[in-house]
């Protein structure tokens, strides 16, 4: 029996675009994207742009890569559009000229931004083409020009202006971009570049573009008007290790000679080739990892009630610690569940497990905060002296976990997730206080 290739091959999620055909909406994805993904050894999984799908993305797991491509303008409210200073008359003119692009699709925005942020959180390979590059920048904290002609072209010399959208010559239109040295784009198009110019001709189908590039990214190409035409994350760009985060404003998959499938340059399909290479490596890394994503356990009513009491106990302790207020005596009994829990599981072991989960050693400040939290819940200062992490206690923590029941492990899982959140919240407040103190 032949193997099931849908299981063997890695999965690349691609969100469809909605179009009106014969008074009915249809979802579609450009075939060039699909051909290249399949050709290089992955399976495209189309995520339909229908209401509510943004809440169902867990159903598309496992996700080994995400390719986001064309679509309408991103909702300006999702980035700092108020800085554009466009008048109502200018905005109306933009909607009239680019009617097909300015019809905002909020459901598509929600789906794609969730996927982009998921890739950034998990280091899942991501390739953004045209709108997909803009989604990536917005998801990372960057902003966009709402209209290049109004916000860029009118402010520069005529010789520097670029036509980024030619409706009369849609697929044939090209403009120059200058490639930045020592970037992936430079490597892919190296044989087509003249050293003194470092330029290629790219297609262009957009009236918006990157305004402020998110801090994590580095530009790979610029148009003569200064617009960024490509960028990547240098810390997430090693396809052999399953790392690839990149955005291209142009469409390399459509840069083909008239009446033929021959590419304008040999480097045109390289973005897809390297992306799929990263997707394959990411899948192998995921499959070989011994750490599985914990699935929520279904508890009986009594256990669930106990779990909620423990969490309630820790939230009370957090409020006491963060606000510095004295505890209402009537609430004192509610801390008992947390105290009993910590009696069963040494806080030292929990701290070690928390550190192992994040693969990051706890700082002295974090240790001190957790000590104070533990003391608040347990009313036992003896734990302060015992919170020093070492190899012997790591082994002890592993042994303790191996002997725990499903109920105990479930309680602990809830606990260290909550403790991580507490640490993050308190640390943010402290750091903000330090920054404001320096500024004043």
């Amino acid at each position: 029996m032949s193997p099931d290739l849908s299981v063997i091959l890695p999965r690349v999620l691609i969100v469809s675009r909605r179009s009106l055909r014969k008074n009915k909406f249809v979802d579609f994805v450009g075939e060039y994207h699909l051909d290249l993904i399949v050709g290089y050894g992955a399976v495209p999984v189309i995520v339909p742009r229908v209401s509510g799908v943004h809440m169902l993305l867990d159903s598309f797991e496992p996700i080994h890569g995400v390719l986001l491509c064309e679509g309408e303008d991103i909702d300006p409210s999702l980035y700092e559009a108020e800085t554009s200073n466009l008048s109502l008359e200018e905005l109306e003119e933009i909607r009239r000229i680019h009617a097909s692009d300015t019809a905002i699709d909020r459901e598509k925005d929600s789906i794609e931004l969730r996927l982009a942020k998921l890739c950034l959180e998990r280091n899942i390979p991501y390739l953004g083409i045209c709108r997909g590059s803009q989604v990536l920048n917005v998801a990372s904290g960057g902003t966009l020009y709402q209209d290049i002609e109004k916000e860029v072209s009118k402010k520069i010399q005529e010789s520097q202006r670029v036509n980024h959208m030619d409706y009369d010559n849609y697929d044939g239109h090209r403009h120059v971009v200058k490639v930045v040295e020592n970037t992936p784009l430079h490597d892919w198009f190296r044989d087509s570049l003249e050293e003194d110019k470092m330029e290629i001709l790219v297609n262009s189908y957009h009236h918006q573009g990157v305004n402020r590039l998110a801090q994590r990214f580095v530009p790979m190409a610029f148009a003569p008007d200064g617009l960024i035409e490509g960028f990547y994350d240098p810390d997430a760009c090693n396809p052999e290790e399953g790392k690839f985060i990149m955005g291209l404003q142009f469409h390399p998959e459509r840069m083909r000679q008239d009446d033929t499938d021959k590419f304008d340059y040999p480097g045109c399909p390289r973005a897809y080739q390297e992306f799929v290479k990263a997707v394959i490596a990411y899948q192998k890394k995921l499959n070989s990892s011994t750490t599985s994503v914990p699935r929520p356990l279904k508890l009986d009513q009594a256990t669930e009630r106990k779990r909620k009491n423990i969490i309630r106990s820790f939230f009370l302790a957090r409020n006491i610690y963060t606000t510095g207020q004295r505890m209402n005596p009537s609430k004192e009994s509610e801390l008992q569940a947390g105290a009993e829990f910590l009696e069963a599981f040494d806080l030292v072991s929990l701290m070690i497990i928390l550190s192992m989960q994040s693969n990051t050693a706890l700082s002295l400040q974090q240790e001190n905060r957790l000590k104070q939290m533990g003391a608040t819940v347990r009313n036992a200062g003896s734990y302060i002296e015992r919170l020093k992490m070492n190899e012997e206690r790591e082994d002890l923590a592993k042994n303790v976990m191996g002997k725990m029941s499903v109920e105990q492990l479930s309680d602990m899982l809830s606990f260290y997730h909550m403790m991580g959140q507490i640490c993050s919240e308190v640390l943010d407040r402290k750091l903000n206080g330090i920054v404001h103190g320096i500024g004043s």
Side-chain angles (χ1 to χ4, degrees):
M1 183 180 292
S2 60
D4 185 353
L5 292 181
S6 67
V7 175
I8 296 172
L9 296 178
R11 298 152 52 92
V12 174
L13 267 56
I14 309 176
V15 180
S16 65
R17 184 176 186 180
R18 187 171 70 171
S19 178
L20 192 63
R21 183 172 179 266
K22 296 182 179 180
N23 297 321
K24 299 290 184 182
F25 285 119
V26 292
D27 282 22
F28 70 94
V29 174
E31 194 169 299
Y32 281 147
H33 301 294
L34 305 178
D35 281 344
L36 288 166
I37 294 299
V38 171
Y40 287 122
V43 173
V45 177
I46 297 177
V47 180
R49 193 244 67 95
V50 293
S51 297
V53 166
H54 68 279
M55 300 298 293
L56 304 174
L57 294 179
D58 287 346
S59 302
F60 291 90
E61 297 279 3
I63 302 171
H64 304 121
V66 172
L67 167 65
L68 299 184
C69 35
E70 57 271 318
E72 294 80 2
D73 294 347
I74 300 171
D75 184 352
S77 67
L78 297 172
Y79 56 92
E80 298 174 10
E82 66 273 9
T83 60
S84 65
N85 296 319
L86 292 172
S87 67
L88 293 176
E89 291 78 10
E90 288 175 318
L91 290 171
E92 185 57 39
E93 183 182 359
I94 293 167
R95 294 188 191 101
R96 179 177 54 80
I97 296 173
H98 305 287
S100 62
D101 290 323
T102 53
I104 291 169
D105 187 341
R106 290 183 173 82
E107 182 66 28
K108 186 174 174 70
D109 288 347
S110 297
I111 297 168
E112 295 192 339
L113 282 168
R114 280 177 180 253
L115 284 175
K117 290 176 180 178
L118 184 69
C119 289
L120 295 168
E121 291 168 5
R122 285 203 219 161
N123 290 319
I124 299 172
Y126 177 105
L127 175 59
I129 302 293
C130 197
R131 169 191 158 98
S133 69
Q134 297 172 8
V135 169
L136 178 60
N137 188 49
V138 171
S140 303
T143 63
L144 304 177
Y145 290 114
Q146 282 191 266
D147 187 74
I148 297 166
E149 183 180 357
K150 301 291 185 187
E151 297 182 81
V152 178
S153 299
K154 287 187 175 182
K155 299 178 182 179
I156 58 177
Q157 297 179 359
E158 189 172 351
S159 60
Q160 295 176 304
R161 295 174 185 172
V162 176
N163 183 8
H164 290 276
M165 176 72 87
D166 188 341
Y167 289 107
D168 296 328
N169 186 22
Y170 197 66
D171 275 322
H173 177 59
R174 301 284 189 273
H175 69 73
V176 169
V177 298
K178 186 165 185 176
V179 177
V180 178
E181 289 189 75
N182 302 318
T183 62
L185 204 63
H186 178 217
D187 181 50
W188 301 340
F189 289 87
R190 187 184 302 273
D191 295 339
S192 305
L193 296 169
E194 298 179 19
E195 290 187 11
D196 57 333
K197 287 188 177 180
M198 295 289 291
E199 293 176 349
I200 58 172
L201 290 168
V202 301
N203 51 15
S204 191
Y205 308 91
H206 61 103
H207 78 102
Q208 297 191 328
V210 171
N211 182 349
R212 188 184 74 243
L213 186 64
Q215 188 173 3
R216 67 185 295 160
F217 299 126
V218 171
M220 295 195 297
F222 292 91
D225 57 8
L227 192 76
I228 296 172
E229 291 279 342
F231 57 88
Y232 77 113
D233 183 346
D235 295 325
C237 188
N238 190 333
E240 289 77 10
E241 294 184 2
K243 299 178 180 179
F244 192 99
I245 303 287
M246 181 177 294
L248 298 175
Q249 183 60 72
F250 56 96
H251 282 262
E253 82 286 354
R254 294 174 69 166
M255 288 170 55
R256 309 193 186 215
Q257 299 175 14
D258 291 340
D259 302 321
T260 175
D261 277 343
K262 185 178 180 180
F263 287 106
D264 291 358
Y265 304 99
C268 287
R270 286 291 302 280
Y272 289 81
Q273 184 180 15
E274 297 301 304
F275 167 64
V276 174
K277 184 188 294 183
V279 167
I280 293 170
Y282 182 85
Q283 183 202 34
K284 290 179 179 177
K285 185 165 61 175
L286 206 62
N287 290 345
S288 64
S289 173
T290 56
T291 305
S292 60
V293 178
R295 294 182 177 275
L297 296 172
K298 188 172 181 63
L299 306 176
D300 58 46
Q301 290 185 352
T303 306
E304 176 64 16
R305 189 162 52 248
K306 181 179 178 182
R307 184 187 69 82
K308 289 181 178 179
N309 288 339
I310 291 171
I311 292 176
R312 168 67 176 166
S313 178
F314 285 120
F315 271 112
L316 283 173
R318 181 192 65 174
N319 292 336
I320 294 168
Y321 168 63
T322 56
T323 63
Q325 296 178 354
R326 298 177 68 96
M327 185 178 64
N328 188 327
S330 63
K331 299 285 186 180
E332 189 170 342
S333 61
E334 295 186 37
L335 291 176
Q336 186 61 32
E340 291 175 355
F341 178 78
L342 289 180
E343 289 290 348
F345 309 119
D346 194 319
L347 190 56
V348 175
S349 299
L350 292 172
M351 286 185 62
I352 293 170
I353 294 164
L354 177 60
S355 179
M356 289 166 61
Q357 180 76 11
S358 63
N359 295 320
T360 307
L362 296 173
S363 69
L364 182 59
Q365 287 181 323
Q366 289 171 319
E367 284 191 20
N368 288 336
R369 290 189 186 103
L370 285 175
K371 290 175 189 177
Q372 293 175 45
M373 282 297 303
T376 304
V377 177
R378 291 175 51 99
N379 194 24
S382 61
Y383 277 86
I384 295 177
E385 287 75 33
R386 298 173 57 193
L387 294 176
K388 290 299 175 185
M389 296 167 56
N390 54 41
E391 187 173 350
E392 180 181 346
R393 283 173 176 166
E394 287 188 8
D395 292 337
L396 176 62
K398 293 175 184 177
N399 291 333
V400 170
M401 287 183 67
K403 299 175 182 178
M404 288 180 185
S405 66
V406 171
E407 177 187 349
Q408 291 169 331
L409 287 170
S410 175
D411 287 342
M412 185 181 342
L413 184 63
S414 299
F415 172 79
Y416 68 64
H417 274 304
M418 188 196 67
M419 294 299 276
Q421 184 180 5
I422 292 170
C423 284
S424 177
E425 291 174 358
V426 177
L427 184 60
D428 284 345
R429 282 198 293 271
K430 292 292 185 181
L431 290 175
N432 286 334
I434 293 171
V435 171
H436 292 320
I438 294 173
S440 59

